[in-house]
Every structure is written in C-alpha cells, then in structure tokens.
Amino acid sequence: MTTDQVQPAVRSFPTEDDLNQATRALVRSAAACAAFCEHIEHNEPTTTHEVVAAAQVLRDTAAQLAHKSGLSLCEAYAARIRGVEETSLLRYTSGPEGTELAGARAAAAATRWDEIQAAQLIHDRQFHPDVFGLSKVDQLRHYTFHVTKLAGLLVDAIDQGTWDSFRDERLADVAVFGIKLATVCNERLPALPIDVT
C-alpha cells in the first residue's frame, strides 16, 4: 500500500462488560422516567431531576458506545435524522417536490449537544407532529416507551450476538431520546462536543 492510499477505518467493538453496563443504564433510565410518570398520574410530589439525569445517562452511554465502536456519534445522529426525513411522507407537505430537510441540514452541521438539540427540535416539529403536539407529560410517557424498547433491543443484541445491527440501526436513537427527554423537561443542553475524543 502506498502512502497516499487510505486505509479502511478499523472498526472496534465495546466489550461484553461495556454492553452489559449500557443495558443497565438504559433500564435504569427507563425506570426513572416511568417512576416520574407514575408519580404524576397519582398526583404525588415529584420533580424532573431524575428524568434530566436519565437523559444525561442516555447521552453519555451513546457517546461512549460510539467511541468504543470507532464511530462518530455526530455522523450517526445526522444520518438517523436524514433517513427519517428522506423517507417520510411529511416531506411532501410543501408540495410534490418535497420540502427542505431542515432538521437533517442542521444535524449535519452540529458538533455540540446544544446544536444537535436545536436540530432535533426542528426535525420533531415537522416530522413528528403527532408526538410534538402532545402535552409534555404525554411526550415524556411516549419517550419512556422508546427508551424501554431500546433497552430490550440491546438485551436482544447481546443475547443474539447482533451488536453490529444495534450499533448501525439503534445506537443513534439512544442519544436521540437522551436529547428528547432533556428537551421535554426544558433542559438546555451544554455547548460541549458530542463525540468523545
């Protein structure tokens, strides 16, 4: 190989312990969100602190797993938003030529958590009006379903040896819901890099 040829990226893998810890983090995050929803339904005193902490755990978990897999979480996140926008019928609400994929464009330019949070809001407003229009507690309940589902899918990936599939199709979603949970609790994310260096 000559010096001007580019070597293919080496894909690394999280350890089994990394994946088990990530699974526990997702389960605990889902449980914290469920507990908040349950307290609200019983009209019991509660705060969003546990939900905000769970959201942070999800973002950290996604960033660490991406790093240990040799991936850019920024790129995976932007690709996830673009994929939804390009295939959605809601893309055509502005006419037969489709509408600008503003959320995808904003996500592609994002490198910090506050920037990707803004991109996610742009995306959600246009491409998820069914959830975006719900009350905040109903949005949170819906996101809890997603986090619970992701925890189960990660368990399946570990048990079935299909981490590659989870990484490629679902890892970005762990960060997505780490952002959505923070946003629904009115938590502005910091101007810190998304990718772990």
Side-chain angles (χ1 to χ4, degrees), residues 14 18-19 22 26 60-71 154 163 166-167 171 174:
D18 293 332
L19 295 178
L26 266 65
D60 290 346
T61 299
Q64 286 298 322
L65 288 176
H67 177 69
K68 290 177 180 187
S69 297
L71 298 176
L154 184 51
W163 162 248
F166 183 92
R167 176 198 62 217
L171 182 55
V174 176

Side-chain angles (χ1 to χ4, degrees), residues 23-143:
T23 301
R24 294 170 74 84
L26 266 65
V27 168
R28 286 187 175 127
S29 295
C33 295
F36 175 84
C37 292
E38 190 227 357
H39 290 310
I40 291 292
E41 289 185 358
H42 288 295
N43 201 28
E44 296 170 349
T46 190
T47 69
T48 59
H49 294 303
E50 297 296 322
V51 175
V52 169
Q56 180 70 55
V57 167
L58 292 175
R59 294 190 307 274
D60 290 346
T61 299
Q64 286 298 322
L65 288 176
H67 177 69
K68 290 177 180 187
S69 297
L71 298 176
S72 164
L73 185 57
C74 283
E75 292 174 10
Y77 200 112
R80 180 71 171 121
I81 288 181
R82 177 166 293 286
V84 170
E85 291 187 4
E86 286 179 341
T87 59
S88 175
L89 289 175
L90 294 173
R91 178 180 181 187
Y92 298 99
T93 57
S94 297
E97 297 302 315
T99 188
E100 180 183 12
L101 305 181
R105 189 184 76 242
T111 60
R112 301 184 327 229
W113 286 111
D114 61 332
E115 295 170 337
I116 203 76
Q117 183 180 36
Q120 187 68 54
L121 273 169
I122 293 166
H123 169 80
D124 287 348
R125 185 175 290 119
Q126 181 177 351
F127 290 92
H128 300 290
D130 51 340
V131 177
F132 194 79
L134 294 173
S135 70
K136 297 296 183 188
V137 73
D138 286 337
Q139 287 180 50
L140 200 149
R141 184 180 297 108
H142 182 78
Y143 302 153

Side-chain angles (χ1 to χ4, degrees), residues 11 129 156:
R11 184 69 54 103
D156 290 345

